[in-house]
Amino acid sequence: MISEWDFLARVAIAALLGGTLGVEADRRRAAAGIRTFSLVGMGSAAFIAWSILINAEAGGDTNTLTGLEVRMAAAIVAGVGFLGAGAILRTDERVRGLTTAASIWITAAIGLLIGSGFWILGVGVTVLALIIMIGLRPLHESIRDSEDGTDGHGGSGPG
């Protein structure tokens, strides 16, 4: 059986990886930041760890997912959807917070992966999320600036 210490390490790593995404969110002054992302990753890992441990206490195999773990994962995804929805704001002209909501959602997935023991995939998903959040930001801003008719520095572009 997997020890509670192993699960505690998983929860800590999930919090660390979530916090890594939260740093980027804080940099862009999103509605949710390092604390929220850390807690989402940690909470997801803790809930899935709990369901695995409860299954083991009942005599189940910690290496095989049961209906309990699957239902717990589904509940986490649904619950995090509500958290993400709270980060989305709509004004007359724009919808803001979609990236924050998506980042919170992927942080929950990272927590589920790490909590379930899929270390490589959890770290890999974190790296890919950072590449998207940081690496694609200049392209996103360039596209947005061209649609707005600005040069990206607050002034009007040629034309």
Side-chain angles (χ1 to χ4, degrees):
M1 182 169 136
I2 302 171
S3 75
E4 287 184 57
W5 290 107
D6 182 53
F7 280 111
L8 183 58
R10 292 177 185 192
V11 168
I13 295 297
L16 179 68
L17 294 174
T20 303
L21 296 181
V23 168
E24 170 55 22
D26 271 340
R27 279 187 55 242
R28 55 185 168 80
R29 302 202 180 275
I34 189 169
R35 294 180 302 167
T36 302
F37 282 81
S38 293
L39 291 170
V40 168
M42 184 173 72
S44 298
F47 277 122
I48 202 70
W50 169 83
S51 65
I52 293 168
L53 286 168
I54 289 295
N55 179 48
E57 287 289 318
D61 180 7
T62 58
N63 295 317
T64 305
L65 289 180
T66 66
L68 176 62
E69 289 90 356
V70 172
R71 286 190 303 276
M72 180 57 69
I76 291 167
V77 170
V80 168
F82 282 104
L83 183 62
I88 300 172
L89 302 171
R90 183 167 193 265
T91 63
D92 291 338
E93 297 176 12
R94 296 182 87 163
V95 176
R96 299 186 55 85
L98 291 174
T99 301
T100 300
S103 301
I104 290 170
W105 184 62
I106 198 67
T107 300
I110 292 164
L112 286 171
L113 288 167
I114 297 296
S116 300
F118 298 106
W119 302 92
I120 294 170
L121 189 54
V123 170
V125 168
T126 303
V127 169
L128 290 172
L130 285 171
I131 289 170
I132 290 168
M133 292 169 71
I134 297 169
L136 293 183
R137 188 169 194 168
L139 177 61
H140 171 74
E141 290 173 355
S142 170
I143 291 169
R144 183 158 286 168
D145 288 345
S146 68
E147 289 174 353
D148 292 343
T150 63
D151 60 8
H153 301 286
S156 296

